[in-house]
Amino acid sequence: MDFELDDEQTALRDAVRRLLASTYASIDGRRAATAKAPGWDEGMWGRLAEMGVLGLPFTEEDGGMGAGPVEVALVAEQLGRVLAPEPFAEAVVLACGLVAAAGSAEQKEHLLPGVVDGTTVAAFAHFEPGAAAGTPPRSVTATQDGDGWLLDGVKEPVLHGAQAGVLVVSARVDAGGTDRTGLFVVATDAAGLDRVDYPTYDGIRAARVTFASTPAAPLGAAGADASDVLALVTAHAQVALCHEAVGAMATALDLTTEYLRTRKQFGVPLKTFQALTFRAADMYVSLELARSMALWATLVLADGDPDAAVVAATRAVVQTSAAGRHIGQEAIQLHGGIGMTAEYAVGHYTTRLTAIDQLLGGRTAHLKALADHVGEYDVVDPLAV
Amino acid sequence: MDFELDDEQTALRDAVRRLLASTYASIDGRRAATAKAPGWDEGMWGRLAEMGVLGLPFTEEDGGMGAGPVEVALVAEQLGRVLAPEPFAEAVVLACGLVAAAGSAEQKEHLLPGVVDGTTVAAFAHFEPGAAAGTPPRSVTATQDGDGWLLDGVKEPVLHGAQAGVLVVSARVDAGGTDRTGLFVVATDAAGLDRVDYPTYDGIRAARVTFASTPAAPLGAAGADASDVLALVTAHAQVALCHEAVGAMATALDLTTEYLRTRKQFGVPLKTFQALTFRAADMYVSLELARSMALWATLVLADGDPDAAVVAATRAVVQTSAAGRHIGQEAIQLHGGIGMTAEYAVGHYTTRLTAIDQLLGGRTAHLKALADHVGEYDVVDPLAV
Amino acid sequence: MRLRLSEADAAFREEMRAFFTTQVPERIRSVVAERRELSKDDIVETQRILNAAGLAVPAWPAEWGGRGWTSLQKHIWHEEMQLANVPAPLAFNTSMVGPVIAAFGSQEQKERFLPATANIDIWWSQGFSEPDAGSDLASLRTAAVRDGDHYVVNGQKTWTTLGQYGDWIFTLVRTDPDAPKKQMGISFLLIDMTSPGLTVRPIKLIDGGQEVNEVFFEDVRVPVANLVGEENKGWTYAKFLLGNERVGVAPVGSTKSVLARAKQLAKDRLDDPFVAARFAELETELLALELTALRVVANSADGKPHPASSVLKLRGTQLQQAVTELLVDLAGPGGVASGADDTSAVPQWARVAAPRYLNYRKASIYGGSNEVQRQIIAGTILGL
Amino acid sequence: MRLRLSEADAAFREEMRAFFTTQVPERIRSVVAERRELSKDDIVETQRILNAAGLAVPAWPAEWGGRGWTSLQKHIWHEEMQLANVPAPLAFNTSMVGPVIAAFGSQEQKERFLPATANIDIWWSQGFSEPDAGSDLASLRTAAVRDGDHYVVNGQKTWTTLGQYGDWIFTLVRTDPDAPKKQMGISFLLIDMTSPGLTVRPIKLIDGGQEVNEVFFEDVRVPVANLVGEENKGWTYAKFLLGNERVGVAPVGSTKSVLARAKQLAKDRLDDPFVAARFAELETELLALELTALRVVANSADGKPHPASSVLKLRGTQLQQAVTELLVDLAGPGGVASGADDTSAVPQWARVAAPRYLNYRKASIYGGSNEVQRQIIAGTILGL
């Protein structure tokens, strides 16, 4: 096992960090970018495209960079460190990841270039109101209509659903009495498509997306069950979000230690109070354990076994979810009142960590998924998954 | 709701405290008492009998004092405070409590006076190897044999099972295809009875008790299902043990705060280190919450509704179990190395708290029992259970 | 020791329950139940209903509307109010400045302020905290300099909750910068918020709400008649006030109410043993807290906070936060739809879960942080 | 970045696994697996088997039996040993005094002690802690006064683990009571435990075991030749030793092994979702720790402890303790049958659960308490 970055990876990380620093050196950058449509900095998105970041996970054949999960992880962590609102994990890794993994050659050729060059943003409409995380689509259905397919139902929340130029949609397909999960592509000018845009509490945008006999094209082979590809690409997106969370936790801890060093109370710096510094030490422990797990999950993704990838992502979510809540809560508490204000940076980190946790589906759901299989092996061997 | 003791109760508490202080003022008292048979101080047992303590929970008609759960709780807490090894909860509240609750008039007349005057100690043989806490007896069976009954199987561990002068035994009774829980009385010279004595890690005695066609007398009406009376008397014993635990926690915290006040390190008293004093504060919170719950459960027992009593005992166990582990662990940790030694008192408190927790069946089992009914009511109202 | 309430207390409880559930408009109570934000009008309307019935300031001296209730009765009043989702009387008025004026104010101040305070004809704001004085309140720097029969006030207060609605503000100001101890140079001053030179600036919190404010004082002239008690004795009055703030501070009833509603809303999830166990656990922890509150109530001499009230504040806010956390988890990914309107397909409770969770991180900071409470427990109770 | 081991490392791992599972007697490994107490003979026999195969002191200089392995190889060696339930070489010999003698001892000391230390012909004890110097080790008071070519040692050491088996003891003694800083007057002295005036008194621990001892020195005469390095430089050597102690200190393999065995033993309880979730949780936490250990290993320059090794000690002992706690809970009431013999109807694992739990409370105290580790993290890593 080897956790060292090679020179190219280091260069990529540093370049992304420098680029992001140009806009997001302070929390004002995020505030400005999220204050107006589309909810991120379009100039930044373009520069990320120029740098090749938006094509990282796709093969060169598909117009991408042919990089892998490690490069995705590096970018995600840098985005998390500065809370950049660009929807890398959601649009590139998840929505386009589904196109790359399940789409036909024509679909890839049609959709990916615009995504990679930054002109089109894709969204994945998957969450359904009231459904627990990780369950297959139920309320949005796809039915065959002659040569084509029609979608009906509601997806909500769909991240940047109203800003997206193309929608990937999961739907329930009735296959002779049993349900299958299908993936579809919907054009944003499709009939019967309605998108209602609103802000989320972490400052980005989401939408309620309604389908009423809306024409849709199956992604890849029509009628095939997409559960496996959905699980695998979801695992990739989850691990990317875990890295984004790790980046956010690292900065939350930095802000906290800086505050403890500089802020005075009762005539002395806060770091004089051992009850506070010990809690910062525990935050560091949480951070490093979460980082280790996210890195390992990335390596498992890169190793290529899809079943192992899903389990590794699940473990990463379990660890990240606990660490994110711990660090997010303590970061505010150790700051005191100022940590509650939108003017100061640290609360935004807690806010984003909370949103990531909800999007990942929360710790318990993932722990239960692991618990279901705990009797099937003796020990977890990180080197032989 | 009223948590005030009346004058008589205060007098009882103070008298028991004074009596116990005569032998158990330091941990040496427990060490001496548990070093030799029967594992408690027989003189102390006699003086407790003289004081009427061993007859507290029984009606005057049965030769007891006609007191109630509140008086039992006061005594149990005092025993816990000094770690007195006398088996009050196990022998008096539990084993004899079953006789008082389920026995016939003859059985009560035959058994209780000797218990109340301290000449006979009763034990309840109930735990079965491998069975989870709270499950009905399975492996010890009772079968009718003419006019009498015979027991077969193994009970282990039976607290002071080898020291007891009379055994109350739970057994599975086959009642035409369905299992019933029966309670029986077994004389210690009964045929086919084998008792193997050994020490427990908290310094008291337990036994493996084997029955091989051992004659036994049904407690009360033969063949009646004793599940309800077993549940109710178990609830009484659990709440008494919770109070014993509260007493032990209070002393563990006292020892810890005293140590933090007096022990110097790096040239200053340990109480200078805020990281330590804050943890002592959290111990206090745990203690007070557990105490509140144990007191409340006592009041519910006294109020008389058996179903409410079982639920209240369950809540008391959930709270006590968590508090006991928290306080037991922190008491040692805040002492450092000396807390690990048998020479010093505090480790004995942690040890006893651990044993009480195991005997109570642990937090999760009780939490699950509550969880099963959580959908049946809106809020928990302590005043209207 | 006795489980049941006395007949009189049981009847009192029924009376309170009946009043709160029938006399306060359902429209207002549903705002609380649904964890939406109360408007100023909601709060004022409720308090006036309570005040008309003698239920706004029961703990005040009888002369000014108090009821002479036992500690247990006050506890029942408070719990039933919370369980019925009735907005509590404005704490700044009824628990903070009112009792201070009643105890230390002049007869003129009492007559001028107390009836208006009870009836919320004056909305009071609190001016204690300053940007550079967090838990170390006594290091405050806002200065009041005597100039004839006025004080001239300069400085800045912060964390002034609902200051945007404030008519008057009660402040701690430094009147003697040369006092040998910083606690000794502080006075307690009442300031009309329409005074020239006083400005209020909202502070946006991380959940998007604007409930706290900064208040700036630039040469604000305050009549000397608005000084409460003696000059430079303000710290004594502040300690009295903060002690009152801590009594009955455990938000048991409201937390129970939120938890009960969550259970209803998540009814179909209770067959998940982990969800059910989490409810069982929180209910048990809350019960232990409620019982501890009852024990503390029974042992509180009037007005003097029992040191164990720090347990109530510490544990009370922990559980309050734990319940908000449970709702975040139950909401799941749908929870990010916080900005959707009521046409959303995501239920309202799930949409407010995360913002409420974020907002309630304040509970363990304001009003004496949990660190301060641990310090009180360690110092006052454990002698450390 | 790469998940898989290199071919060479994978082969190395297979080699280690094969050796540990076939060359160390099953009889001894089952003692570890069943969490019973190892005898002195078990430990000595195992270490000699390892030493004969060059596996007892791989981290030492090559000249004295070291293997020049990479950090990853040392990690694999250690993990596989633990996973196979092989008792580790005696840490006092191989991780503590051996490296100190190799680094700072005279040529005579090296020749005299190192081979015997590697082969456990000498069983070393540790004489650092004193009754009045817990985490504040440098305040030790045991004095060594020069008298010709001897030191005369007086004082008391405590927490000397397995001191009852000790042949020699390495000690920190005060040789200059007047040094300007207390760290500057300390020397590192090797003492034959058969010396007149040296007595060992066992300390019984709360689980009933007697693994630690007090060691008393009354006018014990120690040849000056047994001084390691320079007089009054002992603190430097001690810090070197304590740093080594922390490297690879996370007991991941052994904790995994205990957890795996618990899962086997409790197989019929895994249909309880709470039991299964607790295993899943602990396995995940342990995996995160193991991965962190691998990251630290990769970043450790030889001999210098990475500051993150404090994370390993802190979290490693927390998880070690959490697993012992799980076993207490699984054992239930049967767990009090700890004093029963093997004819007991309660299974052996359930009988040892609580004593092991109690014994492992020490893990977060000895070898640098968790409070000390937090201090290191806050100070060295976070700059607080």
Side-chain angles (χ1 to χ4, degrees):
Chain A
M1 187 167 304
D2 177 7
F3 289 107
E4 289 292 297
L5 300 183
D6 63 28
D7 291 347
E8 236 174 300
Q9 290 165 339
T10 307
L12 170 67
R13 183 196 64 192
D14 295 347
V16 171
R17 177 180 295 184
R18 270 193 308 274
L19 173 58
L20 292 171
S22 66
T23 302
Y24 300 116
S26 88
I27 199 68
D28 297 338
R30 179 181 175 85
R31 209 179 281 118
T34 55
K36 57 183 201 306
W40 60 84
D41 185 311
E42 290 180 288
M44 176 60 71
W45 193 250
R47 288 193 292 280
L48 286 168
E50 280 163 32
M51 202 180 262
V53 166
L54 307 189
L56 275 179
F58 313 121
T59 62
E60 292 176 30
E61 191 172 65
D62 288 344
M65 303 289 288
V70 174
E71 287 75 14
V72 167
L74 299 177
V75 171
E77 184 182 343
Q78 294 309 317
L79 292 164
R81 274 187 177 271
V82 297
L83 289 192
E86 282 70 27
F88 176 71
E90 299 84 354
V92 177
V93 184
L94 183 55
C96 294
L98 289 167
V99 173
S104 65
E106 292 73 25
Q107 286 173 323
K108 292 198 272 186
E109 202 174 328
H110 177 63
L111 294 170
L112 291 180
V115 166
V116 169
D117 71 15
T119 50
T120 312
V121 174
F124 181 39
H126 177 58
F127 297 131
E128 295 179 353
T135 51
R138 282 280 158 274
S139 69
V140 169
T141 58
T143 44
Q144 205 151 5
D145 175 51
D147 276 359
W149 291 74
L150 299 176
L151 300 184
D152 286 278
V154 180
K155 292 283 187 180
E156 184 175 8
V158 180
L159 293 178
H160 58 276
Q163 289 74 36
V166 61
L167 292 173
V168 179
V169 186
S170 65
R172 176 161 63 89
V173 181
D174 185 337
T178 63
D179 287 339
R180 278 209 288 252
T181 294
L183 292 171
F184 296 85
V185 176
V186 174
T188 53
D189 58 357
L193 179 71
D194 184 44
R195 302 189 285 177
V196 179
D197 181 46
Y198 49 78
T200 65
Y201 62 85
D202 64 330
I204 57 169
R205 314 291 307 178
R208 171 166 76 265
V209 179
T210 311
F211 305 92
S213 298
T214 304
L219 201 55
D225 186 77
S227 300
D228 287 348
V229 71
L230 176 58
L232 180 61
V233 177
T234 300
H236 277 261
Q238 285 172 337
V239 173
L241 274 178
C242 286
H243 280 281
E244 200 178 319
V246 165
M249 289 183 230
T251 304
L253 177 56
D254 283 349
L255 291 167
T256 305
T257 53
E258 181 60 21
Y259 190 77
L260 294 178
R261 269 194 296 269
T262 52
R263 167 80 175 179
K264 286 192 175 185
Q265 207 145 54
F266 302 102
V268 292
L270 284 178
K271 73 172 186 146
T272 316
F273 299 99
Q274 199 189 48
L276 306 184
T277 60
F278 276 27
R279 283 159 70 178
D282 284 334
M283 291 165 75
Y284 178 78
V285 173
S286 282
L287 168 63
E288 285 307 311
L289 294 172
R291 183 194 297 284
S292 298
M293 192 70 99
L295 286 170
W296 172 77
T298 303
L299 296 182
V300 175
L301 294 179
D303 196 57
D305 177 334
D307 292 338
V310 170
V311 175
T314 300
R315 292 202 191 277
V317 172
V318 166
Q319 200 75 28
T320 304
S321 174
R325 196 155 287 178
H326 172 213
I327 292 173
Q329 293 180 350
E330 288 289 72
I332 289 181
Q333 185 70 26
L334 295 182
H335 273 83
I338 194 145
M340 288 295 300
T341 67
E343 283 168 65
Y344 194 77
V346 76
H348 293 270
Y349 283 85
T350 304
T351 300
R352 177 65 184 151
L353 286 168
T354 305
I356 290 176
D357 189 38
Q358 288 197 313
L359 294 171
L360 287 171
R363 186 165 186 268
T364 309
H366 289 267
L367 198 53
K368 278 159 65 179
L370 294 174
D372 287 343
H373 300 281
V374 87
E376 296 165 12
Y377 54 87
D378 284 336
V379 294
V380 179
D381 183 347
L383 300 169
V385 288
Chain B
M1 185 166 307
D2 176 8
F3 289 107
E4 288 292 296
L5 300 183
D6 64 28
D7 290 348
E8 238 175 298
Q9 290 165 340
T10 306
L12 170 68
R13 183 196 63 191
D14 294 347
V16 170
R17 178 182 294 187
R18 270 193 307 273
L19 172 58
L20 292 172
S22 68
T23 302
Y24 300 116
S26 88
I27 198 68
D28 298 338
R30 178 180 175 87
R31 212 181 278 116
T34 55
K36 56 183 201 306
W40 60 84
D41 185 309
E42 289 180 290
M44 176 60 70
W45 193 249
R47 289 191 293 282
L48 286 168
E50 280 165 31
M51 202 180 261
V53 167
L54 306 189
L56 276 180
F58 313 121
T59 62
E60 292 176 32
E61 192 172 66
D62 288 344
M65 304 289 288
V70 174
E71 288 75 13
V72 166
L74 298 177
V75 171
E77 185 183 341
Q78 294 307 317
L79 292 164
R81 273 187 176 271
V82 296
L83 288 193
E86 281 70 28
F88 177 71
E90 298 85 353
V92 176
V93 183
L94 183 57
C96 293
L98 289 167
V99 173
S104 65
E106 292 73 25
Q107 286 172 324
K108 292 199 271 186
E109 204 176 325
H110 176 62
L111 293 170
L112 291 180
V115 166
V116 169
D117 72 15
T119 50
T120 312
V121 173
F124 181 38
H126 177 58
F127 296 130
E128 296 180 351
T135 51
R138 280 284 159 270
S139 69
V140 168
T141 57
T143 46
Q144 204 151 6
D145 175 50
D147 276 357
W149 290 74
L150 299 177
L151 300 184
D152 285 277
V154 180
K155 291 283 187 181
E156 183 173 11
V158 180
L159 292 178
H160 58 274
Q163 289 74 37
V166 60
L167 291 174
V168 179
V169 186
S170 65
R172 176 163 63 90
V173 181
D174 185 338
T178 63
D179 287 338
R180 277 209 289 249
T181 294
L183 292 171
F184 297 85
V185 177
V186 173
T188 53
D189 58 357
L193 178 72
D194 184 43
R195 302 189 284 177
V196 178
D197 181 46
Y198 50 78
T200 65
Y201 62 84
D202 63 330
I204 58 169
R205 314 291 307 179
R208 172 167 73 266
V209 179
T210 311
F211 305 92
S213 297
T214 303
L219 201 56
D225 185 77
S227 299
D228 287 348
V229 70
L230 177 57
L232 180 61
V233 177
T234 299
H236 277 262
Q238 285 172 338
V239 173
L241 274 177
C242 285
H243 280 282
E244 200 177 319
V246 165
M249 288 183 234
T251 305
L253 177 57
D254 282 350
L255 290 168
T256 303
T257 53
E258 181 60 22
Y259 190 77
L260 294 178
R261 270 194 295 269
T262 53
R263 168 79 175 181
K264 286 191 177 186
Q265 207 145 54
F266 302 102
V268 292
L270 283 179
K271 73 171 185 146
T272 316
F273 299 99
Q274 199 189 47
L276 306 184
T277 59
F278 275 28
R279 283 160 69 177
D282 283 333
M283 292 166 74
Y284 178 77
V285 173
S286 281
L287 168 63
E288 286 306 311
L289 293 173
R291 182 192 297 284
S292 299
M293 191 71 99
L295 286 171
W296 172 76
T298 303
L299 296 183
V300 176
L301 293 180
D303 195 56
D305 177 334
D307 291 338
V310 170
V311 176
T314 300
R315 291 201 191 276
V317 172
V318 166
Q319 200 74 28
T320 304
S321 175
R325 196 155 287 177
H326 172 212
I327 292 173
Q329 292 179 352
E330 288 289 72
I332 290 181
Q333 185 70 24
L334 294 182
H335 273 82
I338 194 148
M340 287 296 301
T341 67
E343 284 169 60
Y344 195 77
V346 75
H348 293 271
Y349 283 85
T350 304
T351 300
R352 177 64 184 150
L353 286 168
T354 305
I356 289 176
D357 189 38
Q358 287 196 313
L359 293 171
L360 288 171
R363 185 164 188 269
T364 309
H366 290 266
L367 198 54
K368 278 158 66 179
L370 295 175
D372 287 343
H373 299 282
V374 88
E376 297 164 11
Y377 54 85
D378 283 337
V379 294
V380 179
D381 183 348
L383 301 168
V385 287
Chain C
M1 304 234 306
R2 197 185 61 246
L3 178 68
R4 303 283 160 184
L5 290 176
S6 69
E7 253 178 65
D9 286 333
F12 177 82
R13 191 190 202 206
E14 280 315 307
E15 184 195 328
M16 290 298 123
R17 186 170 295 184
F19 184 90
F20 291 133
T21 52
T22 62
Q23 301 303 303
V24 178
E26 170 63 24
R27 172 180 49 76
I28 294 176
R29 297 193 294 121
S30 72
V31 174
V32 176
E34 292 169 12
R35 308 172 83 209
R36 289 182 283 123
E37 222 167 296
L38 287 162
S39 70
K40 179 178 181 180
D41 287 347
D42 292 338
I43 296 171
V44 170
E45 180 180 346
T46 304
Q47 183 160 337
R48 288 184 182 159
I49 292 170
L50 298 180
N51 195 39
L55 297 179
V57 291
W60 286 15
E63 190 184 354
W64 302 106
R67 301 290 298 268
W69 285 344
T70 63
S71 296
L72 180 58
Q73 285 175 313
K74 281 185 272 188
H75 178 83
I76 291 172
W77 164 77
H78 189 245
E79 285 298 299
E80 291 298 326
M81 189 157 57
Q82 290 191 30
L83 280 173
N85 295 311
V86 171
L90 191 67
F92 309 114
N93 284 33
T94 62
S95 306
M96 298 190 189
V97 74
V100 167
I101 294 175
F104 306 107
S106 65
Q107 185 60 26
E108 289 73 18
Q109 287 172 337
K110 289 178 192 175
E111 289 171 12
R112 177 175 178 196
F113 290 116
L114 288 179
T117 298
N119 203 48
I120 206 165
D121 299 329
I122 295 173
W123 181 298
W124 285 96
S125 290
Q126 181 178 23
F128 277 20
S129 291
E130 297 190 2
D132 287 321
S135 292
D136 182 15
L137 182 58
S139 69
L140 59 91
R141 294 192 299 203
T142 297
V145 178
R146 185 73 177 260
D147 177 26
D149 55 0
H150 281 77
Y151 289 103
V152 180
V153 179
N154 279 286
Q156 180 189 351
K157 296 290 177 179
T158 192
W159 313 133
T160 304
T161 302
L162 302 180
Q164 67 268 41
Y165 303 146
D167 301 309
W168 280 71
I169 184 166
F170 56 94
T171 60
L172 293 178
V173 292
R174 189 158 301 284
T175 37
D176 179 2
D178 305 321
K181 281 186 61 183
K182 59 189 175 184
Q183 285 81 359
M184 291 168 66
I186 293 172
S187 296
F188 195 107
L189 206 55
L190 310 177
I191 305 180
D192 184 337
M193 290 180 79
T194 61
S195 307
L198 188 154
T199 50
V200 176
R201 190 183 80 87
I203 300 174
K204 198 171 154 191
L205 294 190
I206 53 171
D207 64 325
Q210 300 204 342
E211 64 190 39
V212 297
N213 300 269
E214 293 177 294
V215 182
F216 298 89
F217 302 85
E218 240 187 278
D219 291 331
V220 176
R221 295 185 66 84
V222 181
V224 171
N226 293 355
L227 176 75
V228 174
E230 293 178 50
E231 198 178 79
N232 295 328
K233 291 277 171 67
W235 188 249
T236 310
Y237 317 143
K239 279 199 301 184
F240 170 86
L241 180 152
L242 295 171
N244 287 334
E245 190 184 356
R246 220 161 55 229
V247 169
V249 80
V252 180
S254 60
T255 309
K256 277 170 79 170
S257 171
V258 174
L259 191 64
R261 203 173 130 81
K263 210 161 67 171
Q264 274 174 8
L265 296 166
K267 200 122 205 155
D268 58 329
R269 302 277 295 278
L270 291 179
D271 54 352
D272 177 337
F274 294 93
V275 172
R278 219 160 143 198
F279 277 104
E281 183 172 25
L282 285 168
E283 284 178 348
T284 302
E285 294 283 352
L286 269 170
L287 173 61
L289 178 68
E290 179 172 7
L291 295 164
T292 306
L294 283 162
R295 284 175 56 215
V296 170
V297 157
N299 287 301
S300 291
D302 259 338
K304 288 267 169 76
H306 192 278
S309 59
S310 284
V311 173
L312 306 183
K313 169 74 167 74
L314 175 58
R315 191 75 190 133
T317 56
Q318 286 173 337
L319 291 176
Q320 202 174 23
Q321 292 177 335
V323 170
T324 66
E325 210 167 326
L326 169 62
L327 281 153
V328 166
D329 294 339
L330 289 173
V336 302
S338 56
D341 61 24
D342 285 345
T343 63
S344 173
V346 176
Q348 187 267 350
W349 69 265
R351 285 183 278 128
V352 300
R356 294 281 87 191
Y357 162 76
L358 292 166
N359 181 274
Y360 272 80
R361 302 314 310 165
K362 76 186 177 195
S364 49
I365 296 172
Y366 296 168
S369 72
N370 282 2
E371 289 69 37
V372 169
Q373 306 307 330
R374 287 195 183 91
Q375 216 155 9
I376 293 173
I377 294 169
T380 312
I381 302 180
L382 302 179
L384 294 174
Chain D
M1 305 233 304
R2 197 185 59 245
L3 178 68
R4 304 282 159 185
L5 291 176
S6 70
E7 252 179 66
D9 286 334
F12 177 81
R13 190 190 201 203
E14 281 314 308
E15 184 195 330
M16 290 298 122
R17 186 170 292 183
F19 184 91
F20 291 133
T21 53
T22 62
Q23 302 301 304
V24 177
E26 170 64 25
R27 172 181 49 77
I28 294 175
R29 295 193 296 122
S30 73
V31 174
V32 176
E34 292 168 11
R35 308 171 83 208
R36 290 183 282 122
E37 223 165 296
L38 286 163
S39 70
K40 179 179 182 179
D41 287 348
D42 292 338
I43 296 170
V44 170
E45 181 180 344
T46 304
Q47 184 160 336
R48 288 184 182 159
I49 292 170
L50 298 181
N51 196 38
L55 298 179
V57 291
W60 287 14
E63 189 184 352
W64 302 106
R67 302 290 297 268
W69 286 343
T70 63
S71 297
L72 180 59
Q73 285 174 314
K74 280 185 272 189
H75 178 83
I76 291 171
W77 163 78
H78 189 245
E79 285 299 299
E80 291 298 325
M81 189 158 58
Q82 290 190 31
L83 280 173
N85 295 311
V86 171
L90 191 67
F92 308 115
N93 285 33
T94 62
S95 306
M96 297 188 189
V97 75
V100 168
I101 294 175
F104 306 106
S106 65
Q107 186 61 24
E108 291 73 17
Q109 287 171 336
K110 292 179 189 174
E111 287 170 14
R112 177 174 177 197
F113 289 116
L114 288 180
T117 298
N119 204 45
I120 205 166
D121 299 330
I122 295 172
W123 181 298
W124 285 96
S125 290
Q126 182 178 23
F128 277 20
S129 291
E130 297 191 1
D132 287 319
S135 291
D136 182 14
L137 181 58
S139 69
L140 59 90
R141 295 193 299 205
T142 296
V145 177
R146 185 74 176 259
D147 178 25
D149 56 359
H150 281 76
Y151 289 104
V152 180
V153 179
N154 279 286
Q156 180 190 349
K157 295 292 178 179
T158 193
W159 313 132
T160 305
T161 302
L162 301 181
Q164 67 268 41
Y165 304 146
D167 301 309
W168 280 72
I169 183 166
F170 55 94
T171 62
L172 293 179
V173 293
R174 189 158 299 285
T175 38
D176 180 2
D178 304 321
K181 281 186 62 182
K182 59 190 176 183
Q183 285 82 357
M184 290 168 66
I186 293 171
S187 296
F188 195 107
L189 207 56
L190 311 176
I191 305 180
D192 184 339
M193 290 180 79
T194 61
S195 307
L198 187 155
T199 49
V200 176
R201 191 182 80 85
I203 300 174
K204 199 171 154 189
L205 293 191
I206 53 171
D207 64 326
Q210 301 203 342
E211 63 190 39
V212 297
N213 300 268
E214 294 177 295
V215 182
F216 298 90
F217 302 86
E218 240 187 277
D219 291 330
V220 175
R221 294 186 68 81
V222 181
V224 170
N226 294 355
L227 175 74
V228 175
E230 292 178 50
E231 198 177 80
N232 296 328
K233 292 278 171 66
W235 189 248
T236 309
Y237 316 144
K239 279 199 300 183
F240 170 86
L241 180 151
L242 295 171
N244 287 334
E245 191 184 355
R246 221 162 54 229
V247 169
V249 80
V252 178
S254 59
T255 308
K256 277 170 78 171
S257 171
V258 173
L259 191 64
R261 194 158 185 279
K263 209 160 69 171
Q264 273 173 11
L265 296 166
K267 199 122 206 152
D268 58 329
R269 304 276 294 279
L270 292 180
D271 53 352
D272 177 337
F274 293 93
V275 171
R278 221 161 141 195
F279 276 104
E281 183 173 25
L282 285 168
E283 285 177 348
T284 303
E285 295 283 354
L286 269 169
L287 173 60
L289 179 68
E290 180 172 6
L291 295 165
T292 307
L294 283 162
R295 285 174 56 214
V296 170
V297 157
N299 287 302
S300 292
D302 259 341
K304 289 267 169 76
H306 193 278
S309 58
S310 284
V311 172
L312 306 183
K313 170 74 167 75
L314 175 58
R315 192 74 190 134
T317 56
Q318 286 172 338
L319 291 176
Q320 202 173 22
Q321 292 176 335
V323 171
T324 67
E325 211 168 322
L326 169 62
L327 281 153
V328 166
D329 294 339
L330 290 173
V336 302
S338 57
D341 62 22
D342 284 344
T343 64
S344 171
V346 176
Q348 186 267 348
W349 69 266
R351 285 182 277 127
V352 300
R356 294 281 85 191
Y357 162 76
L358 291 167
N359 181 274
Y360 272 80
R361 302 314 310 164
K362 75 186 177 195
S364 49
I365 298 172
Y366 296 167
S369 71
N370 282 3
E371 288 70 36
V372 169
Q373 305 308 331
R374 286 195 184 91
Q375 218 154 9
I376 293 172
I377 294 169
T380 312
I381 302 179
L382 303 180
L384 295 174

